Amino acid sequence: MCAMTFKIIGDPKPELLIDPGHGGKDPGASGNGIIEKLLTLAISLYQYNRFKELGVRVALTRDSDVTLDSNARALLVKNSGAKYCISNHINAAASASAAGVETIHSIHNNGKLATALMQAIADAGQLKRSRPVFSKPNTSGGDYYYMHRLTGNASTVIVEYGFCSNPADAARLLANWQAYAESVVKAYCLFVGHKYTPPAGMTQPPVTPPTTQPAQPLAPAAPVSDQVNIHVNGKLLDQKGTLKNGVTTVPVRAVAEALGAKVTWDAATRTVNIDK
């Protein structure tokens, strides 16, 4: 039986590779309405589309819920030729009090990009860990994390957006993950000197303090090939719809709010209410 061969998705010669952590048989961390592999995919697909809009040569290690073991993932990064890699993750801890963003860089890296990404997410409203930027060696003096140790010349930053094991942090993540994702896009562009413009109709990423814990886990994001653009009254929305088997599905909240309606969710009856 032949081993499955994986290829990066997007620009064949990227300057930036985005890695949605975990996937497929490896769900990563979970709790409080979050499954890591799904939220990292949603964040990564959002960033991928934004970077493309901005003219950055970008690619993904995966664009759907597929299994990538550590060797296959690291090899994709190493062989991509990308100068930078952002590996997206959601944290978890035994203590429910652990919260906030942290970024991890190679022991052979000065950590400046890691610091810029961390600060951008914090500026978008997320808490900081007590040690929000760090590197970690193994017992042999090399990098502890394989995404640093096995990815060749790519400068990889592991981004942990927050803790799904903390109810308040999980609520912040589910309410504001697009704002955090956009802040990373902006910080990367500023770091490498690439022109940045905010999404249409947005001067800065929105930050909405959560008031209640989300009732549902985040749904899987669609592969790039299944995504469709949505225009409401001539305005392009940041969110994408999906086209599958001839049926187009659109995000209710994004479309309704673009039309000036209010959307609420009734968890007891599993009902979406749209009021104009």
Side-chain angles (χ1 to χ4, degrees):
M1 184 174 179
C2 296
M4 185 176 293
T5 301
F6 294 97
K7 295 181 179 179
I8 59 173
I9 299 100
D11 195 303
K13 295 182 179 180
E15 69 174 78
L16 171 64
L17 192 61
I18 301 175
D19 171 47
H22 306 278
K25 295 179 181 179
D26 174 17
S30 61
N32 295 299
I34 289 175
I35 300 173
E36 183 177 9
K37 68 173 184 176
L38 301 183
L39 185 49
T40 60
L41 182 57
I43 289 169
S44 299
L45 288 172
Y46 176 93
Q47 291 171 340
Y48 173 77
N49 283 304
R50 284 289 291 129
F51 279 124
K52 282 205 307 177
E53 290 172 2
L54 293 167
V56 174
R57 291 185 290 106
V58 63
L60 292 154
T61 57
R62 67 180 180 99
D63 70 343
S64 60
D65 189 16
V66 297
T67 303
L68 276 178
D69 65 29
S70 57
N71 290 328
R73 192 184 302 269
L75 198 60
L76 283 175
V77 179
K78 182 178 181 180
N79 292 343
S80 70
K83 184 175 182 179
Y84 299 101
C85 173
I86 296 173
S87 185
N88 289 320
H89 290 266
I90 306 299
N91 230 329
S95 171
S97 63
V101 59
E102 64 185 15
T103 56
I104 311 165
H105 60 90
S106 168
I107 61 172
H108 304 294
N109 184 279
N110 61 21
K112 289 184 178 180
L113 177 58
T115 300
L117 300 186
M118 180 282 300
Q119 188 59 54
I121 297 168
D123 289 344
Q126 178 59 304
L127 302 177
K128 288 185 186 180
R129 296 278 283 153
S130 57
R131 188 187 174 201
V133 181
F134 66 94
S135 59
K136 185 175 180 178
N138 59 23
T139 55
S140 301
D143 273 300
Y144 177 84
Y145 297 98
Y146 77 85
M147 284 300 290
H148 297 136
R149 190 176 65 251
L150 303 178
T151 49
N153 294 326
S155 179
T156 300
V157 177
I158 298 171
V159 181
E160 299 276 6
Y161 289 82
F163 284 76
C164 65
S165 50
N166 179 303
D169 219 17
R172 275 190 295 273
L173 287 167
L174 286 171
N176 301 310
W177 65 267
Q178 284 190 338
Y180 301 160
E182 182 65 31
S183 72
V184 167
V185 173
K186 180 178 180 180
Y188 174 85
C189 288
L190 294 177
F191 182 82
V192 301
H194 190 95
K195 182 180 178 181
Y196 170 81
T197 54
M202 183 186 297
T203 56
Q204 61 182 8
V207 179
T208 305
T211 56
T212 58
Q213 184 174 325
Q216 296 190 84
L218 188 76
V224 172
S225 57
D226 293 340
Q227 293 183 2
V228 295
N229 294 320
I230 305 169
H231 287 259
V232 176
N233 292 329
K235 176 185 173 183
L236 176 64
L237 298 186
D238 299 328
Q239 296 86 347
K240 306 291 182 180
T242 59
L243 176 62
K244 195 166 186 178
N245 298 325
V247 177
T248 303
T249 303
V250 299
V252 173
R253 182 178 297 277
V255 173
E257 290 182 348
L259 292 169
K262 180 180 179 182
V263 181
T264 57
W265 165 253
D266 187 332
T269 60
R270 299 183 64 80
T271 303
V272 175
N273 299 299
I274 303 174
D275 299 295
K276 181 82 175 204

